Amino acid sequence: MARPTIADIATRAGVSKGAVSFALNGRPGVSDATRERILKIAEQMSWRPHSAARALGASRVDSVGMVIARPARTLGVEPFFAHLLSGVQSGLSAESISLQLLIVEDTAAEIEVYRRWTSEHRVDGVILVDLTVKDPRIDELKALELPAVVIGGRGGKGALASVWADDRDAMLAIVEYLAALGHRRIAHIAGTPNFQHTQRRMRAVRDAAPRLKLLDAPSLTTDFSDAEGAAITRKLLSQPDRPTAIVYDSDVMAVAGLGVAMEMGVSVPHDLSIVAFDDSILTQLMHPALTALSRDTYDFGRQAAEVLLDTIADPATVINRRTADPVLTVRESTAPPPR
């Protein structure tokens, strides 16, 4: 028989997993009556704390960490991360948990931070972003026994908790929309090539091309910066058979691409349609306003914080939470291709 978890107790008691964690660990946050009911149910179910949870609970520091291995200059203008961090902080603050944030240059430096945090017991758990192909962080965190949640993909095929949306379906929605408008030359200005979400988006474009009878559908990778987004847009628009539509993996690159099109005298959307994978106030303030995939990034971050706190409370349970897929918001930057 499977060992009962905090989630099982929460279901039986009709409360949240956070409430169960507070009750079992003797922390404030639930009424005396609720605490007594939860403890009674736990006893009836013969629940026993996971060894890692017991050890962690004895020295909880009420802080979680997040390390981002991207150039600081690209993050400084990236609305996605600002909204994500706001949501994470909101979810943590509700439980009086602080967030430690570091920006480093590469994955090796990120792993060293996790080792140091673990040895010094600086954090109770961590949030991972930008899962890579054969990501070395997964095995490292498992070895460190540091609770973690991955944002944007299943960590090690489910080895770590995760909060994610389907990048493939989202990209297919964009390409199918553009094809329905009549576009047959669609370029994809993608992000960093070793990111799993970049790979999923590129495969979606490649797989859809024959089915949608596209004449050309290249995916060109970048570092997500406005500079590289602009440079590749200029290169594409200088070709004799230039694309009639471009999909950008971020709103920042899409805005940079729009600027290049205007500079080169390419009319949007008459000569070129533009779609951004991420939506933000940037896409809405442009003229023309940009068609984009919209999602509640703030809530995405809040849910990641919630899953991490549940994982810290009960490391034996691996939570993989799929969130709602982004929705395509059509604005003024897309139209049928020129005839």
Side-chain angles (χ1 to χ4, degrees), residues 18-41:
V20 173
S21 176
F22 289 151
L24 295 176
N25 289 293
R27 300 178 66 191
V30 293
S31 68
D32 291 340
T34 300
R35 186 187 310 276
E36 182 178 348
R37 180 160 56 91
I38 290 171
L39 293 175
K40 184 176 181 180
I41 290 172

Side-chain angles (χ1 to χ4, degrees), residues 171-188 201-219 243-247 337:
M171 180 58 80
L172 287 175
I174 294 176
V175 179
E176 288 169 355
Y177 162 70
L178 292 172
L181 288 177
H183 293 278
R184 293 295 176 266
R185 296 187 182 277
I186 301 173
H188 170 212
R201 297 174 192 182
M202 291 171 64
R203 283 196 299 269
V205 175
R206 183 180 66 241
D207 294 347
R211 173 170 58 86
L212 299 174
K213 296 181 173 55
L214 302 185
L215 299 176
D216 198 18
S219 288
T244 59
I246 302 178
V247 182

Side-chain angles (χ1 to χ4, degrees), residues 9-25:
I9 298 172
T11 300
R12 177 82 65 86
V15 297
S16 69
K17 286 180 286 188
V20 173
S21 176
F22 289 151
L24 295 176
N25 289 293

Side-chain angles (χ1 to χ4, degrees), residues 10-329:
T11 300
R12 177 82 65 86
V15 297
S16 69
K17 286 180 286 188
V20 173
S21 176
F22 289 151
L24 295 176
N25 289 293
R27 300 178 66 191
V30 293
S31 68
D32 291 340
T34 300
R35 186 187 310 276
E36 182 178 348
R37 180 160 56 91
I38 290 171
L39 293 175
K40 184 176 181 180
I41 290 172
E43 183 178 358
Q44 291 171 350
M45 299 178 70
S46 299
W47 178 85
R48 294 293 181 272
H50 189 279
S51 58
R54 185 189 297 116
L56 184 60
S59 55
R60 196 73 64 79
V61 294
D62 289 338
S63 178
V64 305
M66 186 172 181
V67 185
I68 302 176
R70 286 200 193 189
R73 64 186 178 85
T74 64
L75 291 175
V77 294
E78 180 56 75
F80 174 85
F81 275 101
H83 295 157
L84 183 72
L85 288 170
S86 296
V88 168
Q89 187 63 69
S90 173
L92 297 175
S93 296
E95 307 296 345
S96 299
I97 306 295
S98 64
L99 174 67
Q100 292 196 45
L101 174 66
L102 282 181
I103 299 174
V104 297
E105 286 303 311
D106 54 38
T107 301
E110 182 177 345
I111 288 174
E112 283 304 313
V113 172
Y114 296 144
R115 291 171 177 166
R116 185 175 75 251
W117 277 350
T118 302
S119 66
E120 298 174 357
H121 195 34
R122 294 286 189 90
V123 297
D124 298 325
V126 294
I127 296 174
L128 273 70
V129 295
D130 294 334
L131 204 65
T132 63
V133 177
K134 297 181 180 179
D135 200 311
R137 296 174 297 173
I138 304 300
D139 288 341
E140 186 69 33
L141 289 169
K142 295 293 287 184
L144 292 171
E145 296 185 345
L146 184 60
V149 60
V150 175
I151 291 180
R154 291 177 177 267
K157 296 182 179 178
L160 298 181
S162 62
V163 176
W164 58 285
D166 196 319
D167 287 282
R168 178 181 175 83
D169 282 356
M171 180 58 80
L172 287 175
I174 294 176
V175 179
E176 288 169 355
Y177 162 70
L178 292 172
L181 288 177
H183 293 278
R184 293 295 176 266
R185 296 187 182 277
I186 301 173
H188 170 212
I189 298 185
T192 306
N194 67 325
F195 288 171
Q196 286 192 17
H197 58 76
T198 300
Q199 289 293 323
R200 286 193 295 269
R201 297 174 192 182
M202 291 171 64
R203 283 196 299 269
V205 175
R206 183 180 66 241
D207 294 347
R211 173 170 58 86
L212 299 174
K213 296 181 173 55
L214 302 185
L215 299 176
D216 198 18
S219 288
L220 307 170
T221 58
T222 70
D223 63 358
F224 279 108
S225 70
D226 55 336
E228 287 202 5
I232 293 181
T233 301
R234 186 171 288 106
K235 180 179 179 181
L236 286 170
L237 296 183
S238 299
Q239 296 175 351
D241 293 324
R242 67 190 186 195
T244 59
I246 302 178
V247 182
Y248 294 84
D249 265 8
S250 78
D251 46 5
V252 170
M253 292 198 297
V255 169
L258 174 62
V260 169
M262 294 172 64
E263 170 196 322
M264 296 180 68
V266 178
S267 174
V268 176
H270 182 265
D271 299 320
L272 175 71
S273 287
I274 289 178
V275 181
F277 201 94
D278 289 323
D279 198 4
S280 74
I281 192 66
L282 284 180
T283 62
Q284 299 166 43
L285 292 178
M286 292 298 102
H287 181 71
L290 301 183
T291 294
L293 276 176
S294 304
R295 64 178 162 193
D296 191 339
T297 307
Y298 176 91
D299 189 63
F300 202 45
R302 184 196 60 76
Q303 290 192 56
E306 180 181 286
V307 169
L308 178 59
L309 295 181
D310 287 343
T311 300
I312 291 170
D314 187 10
T317 302
V318 177
I319 304 167
N320 285 297
R321 181 181 297 180
R322 178 175 177 174
T323 62
D325 291 345
V327 176
L328 188 63
T329 301

